[in-house]
Amino acid sequence: MGVTLKHYGSVKKEERWSSSENQAESPPQITEEKNQELVVSHVPIVSSFNDRIRPLLDAVDKLRHLQVMKEGIQLPTIVVVGDQSSGKSSVLESLAGISLPRGQGICTRVPLIMRLQHHTAPEPELSLEFSGKTVPTSEAEISEAITLATDEIAGSGKGISHTPLTLVVRKKGVPDLTMVDLPGITRVPVHGQPDNIYEQIADIIMEYIRPEESIILNVLSANVDFTTCESIRMSQKVDKNGERTLAVVTKADSAPEGLLEKVTADDVSIGLGYVCVRNRIGNESYKEARKEEADLFETHALLSRIDKSMVGIPVLAQKLVHIQATIIARCLPDIVRKINEKLAASISELKRMPKTLSTAGEALATFMGIVGSAKESLNKIIVRGEYDEYLDDQNMHCAARLVEMLNQYSRELHKFYEDDLTENFMINEIQVLEESKGIHLPNFLPRTAFLAILQKKVEEVSHIPVDFVEKVWTYIEGVIMSVLTHRSENYHQLQLFTRRAGYSLMEKMKERSRNWVTEIFQMEKLTDYTSDPAYLNDWNKLMAQQQEFMDALENEFTVFQIEGLGEVAIAGLWTYEKAIMLQAFDLKMRMTAYWKIVLRRLVDFMALHLQFCARNLVNKEMEEEIVKEVVGRHDGAIEGMLEESPAVAAKREKLNGSIKLLSESKNVLANIMDRIATNV
Ligand SMILES: Nc1nc2c(ncn2[C@@H]2O[C@H](COP(=O)(O)OP(=O)(O)OP(=O)(O)O)[C@@H](O)[C@H]2O)c(=O)[nH]1
C-alpha cells in the first residue's frame, strides 16, 4: 500500500503524515550509530520505499527544471521560510551536511532549490544549475559557488531576484528531499538594500507558499516570540489553520527556557507540528554538531523533557521525507491531468490560428477574403442595420445610432431659430420692409424683403449641418476602422494599409458632404420655393387671424394669441402705421410657414444624402480604395503585406513554446504513469 492522503482533513494535524497504515513501509529510519554524520540511512527495509518514491521525486524535479510552473502548473514543493537570520540556511545545511552561506544580514537573495539525493558512492557530487548551465562544485567550495551564482543572478549588491538557483547534492546518506530556500523576511532595509526590500521578499515568498501544493517549512528561532514572526504572519495568510505548515525551531541551545511550553501551547497553529533543532555552531563538523544536538536533547534539564518525536535534525529529515512522499502522491495525478488538458488546449489554439501564407496566390486569396468579409460586415452594420456580430457593443449598432444623431440634429435646427415672441416680435420684419421700400404700389409685398429675411435665417443655421456631417462621418469612420482593424488583425502590414485607405476615404466622404451641404444652403438662400401644400395651408391659417391681430393693436392690447405661433407681445407695435403692420404680419406669417418647409428639407435630405453616401462607400468605394492602396501602390507586394503581425507571431511562438514544454513534461511523466496510477 502506498502513502496516501485519503484521510487528509479528517485526521488530527500530525497524524496525517504518520498514520499507522504507513508504518510497515515507513520512511527511512534514523541510524545515527552507523554513520553519525549522515541524517538518514538507506537500510534495505526502507530502500523499497525510497525506490518507489525516488522516481516520482525525480520526475517532479525534472518538471521543476523544465519550469512547468510557467504554464500555471504548481508542483508539490517544500518551501523554507523564516525571518531573517532565523536559521533557514543552517537547517538546510544540517539536512544536507554541507556548508551554505551563513551569517547575519541577508544571505539568501534568490530562491535556492536544494535537491538532496542519496547515492551510494562514497564521494559526494555537488553541482549548481542556473542560467541554463550546470556548474560542478565541491563541499569545500559550495558556499563561495552559491555566492558567485547568486551575484550572477541577482547582481553583486544586496538586491534579490525571483530567478531560482538549483543546488544538487548527491551524497551518501542524505534524505531524498527537494526544498526551496527563500530569502529571509526583513522589515528594515540594511545598507545597500532597496527601500522596498520587504515587499520584494514578501512577493517571492507569497509566490511560493500560496499554491495549495506547497508545504511550508517555517523556520523559527527559539529566542523569539513566535506570534511576532513575520514568516508566521505570512504563512497564516495562505494557510490559516496551518494544515500545510511544519515548524522548525532553531537555536534550541541558546533559548531552552520555556521552549517546551511554547511548542506545546501552539499559539501560532502549526498543523504539521514542531521539530526543535540545534544546528552546527562555529567550526563544528556535521558529525560533531549531530552529536552535540543528540546530547543536548538527551541531557539538558529543560530540553530533554520535549518528546523525542519533536527533536533533532534526523526527526526533521524523516518527517520531511514522509510529507514529501505524501504530497507527491497526492498531487501527481492532478498534475498529469492538468498537463494533458493544457497541452490539448494549446494544440487546438495553435490550430485555430491563421495559417502562415507561403505563396502569392494564398496571400491574394487571403487579402480578398479579408476585404470581402469586412465589406459584408459593414454592409450589415451600416446599410442593413443588423448588429448580430456586435450584440454587446452598442456603438456598433449603427442604424440606431444614426437615427439618434439625426433626431438630435433636427431638434437642434428647430431650436436654434425659434421665433422671438416677446417685445421684439415683428420688429425685424418692419425694419426689413423699411429698407425694401421702392417705387411701386404700396400693397405689394416686396420679394426682396422676404429673401433678405430668409437668407439671414439660412445663414445663421448653416453651421449646424456642417457640424453634423462632420460628427456623422467621424462616427462612421470609427465603425469602419473597428471592422477593418478586426478583420486584418492577424496581418500587421495589411492592417496599416487598410487603415490608411480607410482614413483617406473618410476624408473624401467628409469633403463631399461638406460640399453638398454648402450647395444645399446656396440653393435655400437663392430660391424660395416649395410645392408642398402645407405651406399655403399654414399661411392661410395664420393669415386668417390678421384682422383680429390688427384690432388688438388698435385697442392697444399688450398681448395677442396667434394660433400656430403662440402668445406674442404687441405693446411695442402700437405706434406703427397700419399699412406697414399689415405687410409685416403677412411677411412674418409667410416666413413662419415657409421656415418649417426649409427645416424639413434640411433634415430629410440630410438623411437621404448620408444613407446614399454610406451605401456607396461600403458597396463600392471602400473596396476600390483598399485595393488601390494595397495593390496599386505596392505592386505585387501583397505577400509582404500579409506577414504575421508581431502580436500574432509572438502568440504563435508562445504556443509553440508551451506545447514543447508540456510535451516534454508529459514525456517525463509517461515513464512513471504506472506508479501514479497505483498511487505510489
Ligand atoms: N546557537 C545556534 N545558532 C544558530 C543555530 N542555527 C543558526 N544559528 C546561527 O544563526 C545565524 C543565522 O543563521 P542562518 O542559517 O544564516 O540564517 P538564515 O535564516 O538562513 O539567514 P538569511 O538567509 O540571511 O535570512 C548564524 O550565525 C547561525 O550560525 C542554532 O541552532 N544554534
Side-chain angles (χ1 to χ4, degrees):
M1 174 177 278
V3 180
T4 68
L5 268 183
K6 269 185 232 150
H7 309 298
Y8 195 94
S10 61
V11 286
K12 275 204 299 177
K13 294 179 171 181
E14 265 178 282
E15 287 172 8
R16 288 206 302 264
W17 312 97
S18 56
S19 63
S20 60
E21 65 177 322
N22 297 323
Q23 293 305 309
E25 293 180 327
S26 62
Q29 299 301 302
I30 306 132
T31 54
E32 284 275 294
E33 321 78 55
K34 277 197 166 182
N35 187 344
Q36 288 283 345
E37 194 170 332
L38 301 181
V39 170
V40 179
S41 85
H42 290 256
V43 293
I45 188 160
V46 293
S47 65
S48 77
F49 177 89
N50 279 332
D51 288 348
R52 293 210 263 162
I53 285 297
R54 178 71 175 265
L56 301 189
L57 180 56
D58 283 350
V60 172
D61 284 337
K62 276 186 198 148
L63 296 184
R64 200 185 311 279
H65 187 71
L66 286 172
Q67 298 196 328
V68 76
M69 298 84 79
K70 278 201 234 158
E71 296 299 319
I73 293 170
Q74 298 299 342
L75 297 173
T77 307
I78 296 174
V79 184
V80 187
V81 297
D83 291 4
Q84 206 173 87
S85 297
S86 57
K88 294 180 308 302
S89 305
S90 302
V91 169
L92 293 172
E93 271 189 357
S94 302
L95 290 167
I98 51 150
S99 302
L100 296 174
R102 262 196 322 179
Q104 299 298 322
I106 185 165
C107 295
T108 314
R109 297 193 289 128
V110 299
L112 175 72
I113 301 170
M114 201 157 139
R115 218 152 76 205
L116 306 181
Q117 292 178 343
H118 163 71
H119 80 174
T120 45
E123 284 307 311
E125 276 173 26
L126 276 74
S127 58
L128 283 174
E129 294 168 5
F130 61 102
S131 314
K133 57 189 172 191
T134 302
V135 181
T137 178
S138 66
E139 278 194 79
E141 292 164 348
I142 187 62
S143 195
E144 198 185 340
I146 289 178
T147 307
L148 285 175
T150 303
D151 286 353
E152 192 176 319
I153 296 170
S156 51
K158 302 258 174 173
I160 60 165
S161 164
H162 282 244
T163 310
L165 163 67
T166 302
L167 165 63
V168 183
V169 177
R170 290 192 187 84
K171 190 170 173 179
K172 193 173 178 189
V174 294
D176 283 325
L177 266 180
T178 300
M179 291 163 293
V180 184
D181 183 20
L182 295 177
I185 308 157
T186 167
R187 270 275 175 204
V188 190
V190 299
H191 181 66
Q193 278 176 355
D195 288 345
N196 66 344
I197 188 77
Y198 174 79
E199 285 75 18
Q200 284 192 34
I201 293 176
D203 267 3
I204 299 191
I205 292 177
M206 292 311 269
E207 176 187 326
Y208 276 85
I209 64 174
R210 187 172 289 116
E212 283 291 314
E213 292 80 356
S214 293
I215 294 294
I216 307 167
L217 185 64
N218 215 323
V219 180
L220 308 167
S221 173
N223 51 26
V224 301
D225 176 358
F226 298 165
T227 56
T228 64
C229 284
E230 281 287 333
S231 63
I232 289 286
R233 223 173 50 80
M234 274 190 195
S235 71
Q236 281 181 342
K237 272 193 199 158
V238 292
D239 180 30
K240 200 164 180 306
N241 301 321
E243 303 219 327
R244 48 190 181 87
T245 304
L246 173 71
V248 185
V249 185
T250 62
K251 309 185 191 178
D253 54 309
S254 55
E257 294 81 17
L259 185 55
L260 172 62
E261 290 69 25
K262 260 166 131 175
V263 297
T264 324
D266 187 23
D267 288 337
V268 288
S269 290
I270 301 290
L272 299 178
Y274 294 79
V275 182
C276 305
V277 299
R278 175 222 183 259
N279 291 308
R280 187 170 71 98
I281 299 173
N283 291 329
E284 283 173 1
S285 72
Y286 290 101
K287 188 173 161 184
E288 287 162 356
R290 289 291 64 80
K291 171 96 178 58
E292 289 294 333
E293 181 184 57
D295 288 352
L296 181 72
F297 289 112
E298 199 61 54
T299 57
H300 190 283
L302 295 171
L303 298 177
S304 61
R305 287 169 46 210
I306 304 175
D307 194 282
K308 292 292 168 281
S309 66
M310 290 171 72
V311 297
I313 288 290
V315 165
L316 176 65
Q318 187 180 11
K319 278 200 173 198
L320 287 175
V321 167
H322 202 100
I323 288 171
Q324 176 179 255
T326 314
I327 47 165
I328 288 179
R330 174 163 62 95
C331 295
L332 269 182
D334 237 16
I335 291 175
V336 173
R337 184 182 53 77
K338 280 187 195 155
I339 287 177
N340 286 339
E341 279 173 10
K342 288 197 184 246
L343 182 59
S346 298
I347 290 173
S348 80
E349 199 174 344
L350 187 66
K351 276 193 190 145
R352 281 201 307 275
M353 287 194 69
K355 48 181 189 151
T356 32
L357 306 169
S358 42
T359 66
E362 271 180 0
L364 190 61
T366 306
F367 170 63
M368 293 317 287
I370 290 171
V371 175
S373 67
K375 183 173 158 182
E376 175 52 22
S377 278
L378 288 170
N379 225 316
K380 278 173 106 175
I381 300 169
I382 296 178
V383 180
R384 303 207 296 270
E386 297 165 3
Y387 53 84
D388 53 306
E389 289 179 25
Y390 295 89
L391 280 179
D392 296 330
D393 186 352
Q394 295 210 328
N395 197 43
M396 298 297 270
H397 303 175
C398 211
R401 297 296 83 78
L402 283 175
V403 169
E404 271 171 20
M405 284 189 229
L406 259 176
N407 288 340
Q408 161 82 13
Y409 162 68
S410 169
R411 277 197 298 277
E412 227 174 292
L413 272 178
H414 282 83
K415 254 177 76 182
F416 189 83
Y417 219 119
E418 267 171 2
D419 278 302
D420 184 358
L421 305 179
T422 58
E423 58 206 70
N424 289 324
F425 180 65
M426 270 176 37
I427 296 297
N428 188 28
E429 282 74 10
I430 293 167
Q431 283 169 356
V432 171
L433 282 168
E434 293 285 351
E435 296 309 306
S436 308
K437 274 185 198 148
I439 304 175
H440 53 66
L441 289 173
N443 61 342
F444 280 97
L445 187 63
R447 186 160 171 262
T448 46
F450 185 79
L451 281 180
I453 293 182
L454 177 66
Q455 281 165 1
K456 191 167 170 244
K457 281 175 84 112
V458 170
E459 187 60 45
E460 278 176 0
V461 296
S462 64
H463 69 278
I464 298 177
V466 173
D467 293 350
F468 178 66
V469 290
E470 180 73 29
K471 178 173 151 187
V472 169
W473 283 120
T474 304
Y475 165 71
I476 294 180
E477 179 178 289
V479 171
I480 289 182
M481 286 306 158
S482 160
V483 170
L484 289 179
T485 307
H486 173 60
R487 293 287 168 188
S488 57
E489 68 189 347
N490 294 324
Y491 305 100
H492 183 58
Q493 284 290 321
L494 180 69
Q495 197 175 55
L496 290 181
F497 282 95
T498 49
R499 285 177 67 86
R500 191 187 298 178
Y503 282 125
S504 92
L505 192 57
M506 295 320 291
E507 261 323 301
K508 280 187 203 160
M509 302 313 291
K510 284 182 190 172
E511 177 69 25
R512 193 184 293 168
S513 287
R514 271 197 297 269
N515 291 341
W516 176 81
V517 167
T518 314
E519 205 166 278
I520 289 282
F521 271 79
Q522 290 303 331
M523 293 189 308
E524 291 292 357
K525 276 201 243 173
L526 277 177
T527 313
D528 48 339
Y529 175 75
T530 180
S531 63
D532 192 336
Y535 164 68
L536 274 179
N537 276 344
D538 283 357
W539 179 69
N540 281 330
K541 275 187 201 154
L542 291 163
M543 285 303 284
Q545 304 169 68
Q546 190 180 34
Q547 192 49 54
E548 256 185 273
F549 177 76
M550 295 305 290
D551 292 347
L553 275 184
E554 207 167 305
N555 294 322
E556 297 193 344
F557 285 12
T558 51
V559 290
F560 181 74
Q561 181 72 34
I562 303 178
E563 201 183 314
L565 205 61
E567 191 178 79
V568 296
I570 57 172
L573 303 175
W574 293 343
T575 52
Y576 289 99
E577 280 178 29
K578 187 178 174 189
I580 198 139
M581 286 317 294
L582 284 170
Q583 283 200 331
F585 187 84
D586 189 350
L587 188 55
K588 180 81 193 170
M589 297 311 136
R590 275 170 208 269
M591 187 51 69
T592 304
Y594 186 61
W595 189 241
K596 275 196 207 165
I597 304 282
V598 172
L599 291 186
R600 196 175 307 149
R601 270 201 300 247
L602 288 179
V603 175
D604 289 354
F605 275 114
M606 178 65 83
L608 299 187
H609 165 79
L610 289 174
Q611 192 70 4
F612 174 74
C613 292
R615 189 181 290 261
N616 269 348
L617 166 76
V618 171
N619 284 331
K620 195 161 155 273
E621 291 165 87
M622 192 191 71
E623 191 170 357
E624 281 175 10
E625 187 75 25
I626 293 176
V627 172
K628 199 168 79 194
E629 178 72 37
V630 175
V631 185
R633 286 204 204 168
H634 305 273
D635 201 16
I638 252 214
E639 304 92 291
M641 295 287 116
L642 290 165
E643 263 171 23
E644 277 185 343
S645 70
V648 175
K651 186 172 173 193
R652 191 185 295 280
E653 200 180 312
K654 184 169 175 292
L655 280 175
N656 278 324
S658 293
I659 291 170
K660 183 167 176 279
L661 169 59
L662 292 164
S663 305
E664 282 171 9
S665 305
K666 192 176 169 174
N667 286 343
V668 167
L669 294 171
N671 300 328
I672 52 158
M673 278 308 281
D674 51 336
R675 287 167 203 265
I676 298 172
T678 57
N679 209 4
V680 190

